[in-house]
Amino acid sequence: MPKIVLFGATGYTGRLTAEALIARGAAPVLAARNATALEKLAADLGGAQTAVADVTDPGSVRALLGRGDVLVTTVGPFLRYGGPALAAALAAGAHYFDSTGEGPFIRSVFDRDDEARKAGVSLLTAFGFDYVPGNLAAGLALREAADAVRADVGYFIAGPGTSGGTRASMAGMLFERGFALRGGRIVPERTGSRIRSFDVAGRPRTGVSIPGSEHLALSRAYPRLREADVFLGLPSLAARGLQAGSLLAGAVARVEPVKRLAEGALERVVQGSTGGPGPEARARTRSWAVAETFDDTGRVLASVTLAGSDPYDFTSAILAWGAQTALDGGLLGTGALGPVDAFGLDALTAGVADAGFSR
Ligand SMILES: NC(=O)c1ccc[n+]([C@@H]2O[C@H](COP(=O)([O-])OP(=O)(O)OC[C@H]3O[C@@H](n4cnc5c(N)ncnc54)[C@H](OP(=O)(O)O)[C@@H]3O)[C@@H](O)[C@H]2O)c1
């Protein structure tokens, strides 16, 4: 019988996802590298099947999966640790969901589209707050404006707390190249090259451009789109700071030995597996995804805002919904899919609402 395997279950987002899966009535196999932490987690959750696997031993990750299984992985930073889980899902013929927000890793998953089709599996990368609500908001805005050629998506958080894993992943991306959709093609583009303001729940908020999954997913689902941008909401001074920082990081990244030194130093300072915001802090957090579509003169054709709660609560709930829906046969295709392609606009709208985000 196909099963759900949750890899990284002992991490901050992994534990929230295990709780969300169990709350949905699923019986996931909890997998992680540390047997003691895993047994404690399973006992805390009232009992669950467990399996030990470590990305430094790819065979142990492959051994978690059989054909038709659904793998959910929260083992990150993904640029450092994500490869073995993706390879294991493709080799086993298992559907794949991950929680990454790292643009270059997301792109590497979309690059495995052909392999996934041949294996008869679906690859769902960035299936969390980054970047499910923005894909949905853009899909809804594109349904309202059939002749749009450009889409902008912005993500905004009020009262954010971040996990150690998120900070480690952000640090790991500092020297990586970004990308964007220009002229209908994915092209390299520096993170922070664009800054713009969005109206978010009646207030102007600044966003700075980042590589998301929307560029890749929307351009496949809506081939008429020529241009797409994803923006991360930041106070305007911080947005300018990120823009300047990314220019500097770009210069460092061009000198490979200096890049390796800087990455090594950052890796030692910014560590994962250090927990994240507690339930009270999460309960105070609010977030939004805004999508705007434009015609070729730059006129706004449609605008959709989805509002929700904490990004970690959303990520764990949507991963649980996606995995269970996939196990129940609710995937609409194979290959590297965006959230809209994978489930369709209506089912995804219902799933996202169930996970705490709605119009
Ligand atoms: N897209 C989004 O909106 C979103 C939301 C939440 C999180 N994320 C991303 O998801 C990832 C996890 O976040 P988090 O907050 O859960 O971070 P975390 O607490 O640091 O979790 C990282 C997990 O990776 C595991 N791990 C590290 N090295 C491993 C290895 N060699 N083999 C097997 N497992 C290994 C850790 O195991 P131990 O438990 O044994 O240390 C831990 O379970 C990060 O990349 C973060 O950016 C994205």
Side-chain angles (χ1 to χ4, degrees), residues 2-3 21 28 36 52 84 91 97 106 117 148 165 173 200 217 228 283 288 318 356:
K3 59 187 182 297
L21 280 163
T36 313
V52 175
F97 289 74
I106 294 168
R117 283 172 205 258
M173 272 196 299
V200 183
W288 298 266
I318 198 69

Side-chain angles (χ1 to χ4, degrees), residues 8 10-13 33 54-55 74 99 129-130 163 165-166 169 272-273 315:
T10 54
Y12 175 70
T13 305
R33 61 177 167 172
D54 194 307
V55 297
T74 59
S99 66
F129 176 71
D130 312 332
S163 72
T166 299
S169 294
S273 302
T315 297

Side-chain angles (χ1 to χ4, degrees), residues 237-330:
L237 239 141
R240 298 276 165 210
L242 191 134
Q243 197 170 45
S246 118
L247 256 174
L248 186 68
V252 168
R254 280 194 288 277
V255 190
E256 192 54 41
V258 181
K259 178 188 174 206
R260 274 202 303 273
L261 261 177
E263 278 176 340
L266 260 178
E267 242 177 76
R268 283 190 292 280
V269 178
V270 190
Q271 302 249 328
S273 302
T274 47
E280 285 170 15
R282 292 202 307 276
R284 288 195 300 273
T285 304
R286 293 284 167 270
S287 41
W288 298 266
V290 183
E292 287 178 354
T293 52
F294 305 84
D295 67 12
D296 53 10
T297 68
R299 188 169 59 99
V300 177
L301 297 177
S303 174
V304 171
T305 300
L306 302 178
S309 51
D310 177 78
Y312 293 99
D313 286 333
F314 176 77
T315 297
S316 50
I318 198 69
L319 279 170
W321 174 84
Q324 186 63 57
T325 306
L327 194 70
D328 294 343

Side-chain angles (χ1 to χ4, degrees), residues 175-198:
F175 303 106
E176 296 295 326
R177 277 186 110 180
F179 52 81
L181 182 71
R182 301 281 176 255
R185 291 178 43 237
I186 301 293
V187 297
E189 192 173 284
R190 199 169 35 75
T191 295
S193 36
R194 292 189 177 185
I195 289 186
R196 59 155 288 189
S197 176
F198 285 81

Side-chain angles (χ1 to χ4, degrees), residues 7 32-33 52-64 81 83-85 88:
F7 186 35
R33 61 177 167 172
V52 175
D54 194 307
V55 297
T56 58
D57 172 11
S60 69
V61 186
R62 171 67 185 84
L64 296 172
Y81 300 138

Side-chain angles (χ1 to χ4, degrees), residues 122-209:
S122 308
L123 306 178
L124 275 293
T125 184
F127 208 77
F129 176 71
D130 312 332
Y131 290 95
V132 173
N135 271 280
L136 175 59
L140 293 169
L142 286 162
R143 178 155 74 182
E144 285 173 23
D147 47 352
V149 295
R150 175 183 149 207
D152 278 5
V153 172
Y155 286 88
F156 301 89
I157 308 173
T162 53
S163 72
T166 299
R167 290 191 294 276
S169 294
M170 287 165 81
M173 272 196 299
L174 202 61
F175 303 106
E176 296 295 326
R177 277 186 110 180
F179 52 81
L181 182 71
R182 301 281 176 255
R185 291 178 43 237
I186 301 293
V187 297
E189 192 173 284
R190 199 169 35 75
T191 295
S193 36
R194 292 189 177 185
I195 289 186
R196 59 155 288 189
S197 176
F198 285 81
D199 178 337
V200 183
R203 276 188 52 192
R205 287 182 189 258
T206 308
V208 60
S209 62

